[in-house]
Amino acid sequence: MREQPPYLRVADLLRQRIADQEWAPGDRLPSRAQLAQECGGVGENVIRRAQELLISQGVLEGRAGSGTYVAEPRARLRMVRSQSREQRGGSPFAAGMSALGKHGTWESSTEAKVSASADIATRLGIAEGDLCVRTVYEFLSDGKPVQLSTSWEPYDVTGNTLVVLPEGGPYAGKGVVDRMAQIGITVTRAVEQPEPGHATAEEATLLGVQRGALVTRIQRTYYSDDGQAVETADIVVPASLGVIVYEMPVS
């Protein structure tokens, strides 16, 4: 059996000491040198890696020039992925936040004609280099960032229509299902593929989490009734801010 890396063992020890209420939320941890001695004489680099892991998990927080502290508990948002919310139209995110008693909003920027990469082309069933409408979103709950998303739609599908800009025109912000319905396309299914990951430096800055923090990445694609992919997106939700819940109808 492979031996557990020292920093993971130390992370478990620190987590247990917090669970045992040796340190309370807001307490400053001892120096790395002191912790290294208390954890069996490991190197300070091991302590640093253990602390970075716990910071990425929301257990600790680092304060520049001050030290490392036990993080205050934060309620994770229950972020429901629901077919029924898609069918109602409008923004599923706004509906989800409203169900939690929160105000869901978003900021976005769109580029109207972006060449599809090989990966995006495969997901949309188009040729590499074909034009797409790309929109980058930052979703906010009561004004605080909780989710990122980058969306691609084939320009051949929405070009020269009133819905070509997801966040512009008369149907701005209505969501993919509603917008596509305006141009005679019926979206009948969405496929989502969630995977664990770590926040990049840019994602961490936008979301207000530590670089390398645990995130859930969701690759989502919407399909019309004739099987055509009409939109695909990469969604990022920090594990410390939200828990993903799938709600599925049972017939």
Side-chain angles (χ1 to χ4, degrees):
M1 184 175 177
R2 192 174 180 181
E3 187 177 352
Q4 186 182 39
Y7 81 95
L8 291 180
R9 179 179 61 81
V10 169
D12 287 343
L13 289 173
L14 297 180
R15 193 184 287 109
Q16 187 60 52
R17 292 172 72 173
I18 293 169
D20 292 341
Q21 300 183 344
E22 182 175 341
W23 301 307
D27 284 354
R28 183 179 183 276
L29 265 61
S31 68
R32 287 178 183 165
Q34 182 176 337
L35 287 174
Q37 289 184 340
E38 294 176 1
C39 293
V42 299
E44 290 186 32
N45 189 53
V46 171
I47 300 296
R48 177 185 59 78
R49 290 192 66 189
Q51 289 179 336
E52 287 176 349
L53 174 62
L54 295 179
I55 288 171
S56 75
Q57 296 172 343
V59 177
L60 300 177
E61 64 178 37
R63 301 179 189 174
S66 179
T68 304
Y69 293 76
V70 179
E72 296 285 348
R74 294 180 65 181
R76 298 168 73 200
L77 293 175
R78 190 172 184 268
M79 304 180 78
V80 176
R81 316 291 299 174
S82 167
Q83 181 184 4
S84 62
R85 286 179 185 163
E86 300 286 355
Q87 292 172 337
R88 290 182 204 132
S91 165
F93 176 79
M97 290 302 103
S98 179
L100 295 174
K102 296 183 178 295
H103 183 48
T105 57
W106 56 91
E107 298 174 357
S108 67
S109 62
T110 297
E111 293 181 76
K113 294 182 179 181
V114 177
S115 296
S117 66
D119 174 57
I120 296 303
T122 298
R123 287 158 59 175
L124 290 173
I126 60 179
E128 182 178 355
D130 280 1
L131 296 180
C132 292
V133 177
R134 180 177 67 193
T135 305
V136 178
Y137 294 91
E138 182 176 12
F139 291 94
L140 312 169
S141 174
D142 288 345
K144 297 180 180 180
V146 294
Q147 176 180 303
L148 303 176
S149 178
T150 303
S151 162
W152 293 266
E153 297 177 358
Y155 188 76
D156 281 349
V157 172
T158 60
N160 301 316
T161 74
L162 291 176
V163 302
V164 64
L165 301 177
E167 299 301 321
Y171 304 105
K174 292 295 185 180
V176 175
V177 176
D178 244 13
R179 288 176 45 251
M180 293 299 164
Q182 303 303 321
I183 57 175
I185 295 175
T186 302
V187 176
T188 55
R189 67 188 177 105
V191 176
E192 296 197 348
Q193 179 180 320
E195 293 183 351
H198 297 274
T200 65
E202 181 180 7
E203 290 167 348
T205 298
L206 291 172
L207 291 164
V209 298
Q210 188 80 7
R211 178 178 180 177
L214 297 176
V215 299
T216 300
R217 298 187 183 278
I218 303 172
Q219 185 183 108
R220 182 200 66 208
T221 305
Y222 282 112
Y223 294 91
S224 65
D225 53 1
D226 62 1
Q228 179 183 14
V230 296
E231 189 260 10
T232 193
D234 288 321
I235 300 165
V236 181
V237 179
S240 62
L241 302 182
V243 56
I244 304 298
V245 178
Y246 282 89
E247 183 181 280
M248 296 169 286
V250 177
S251 58

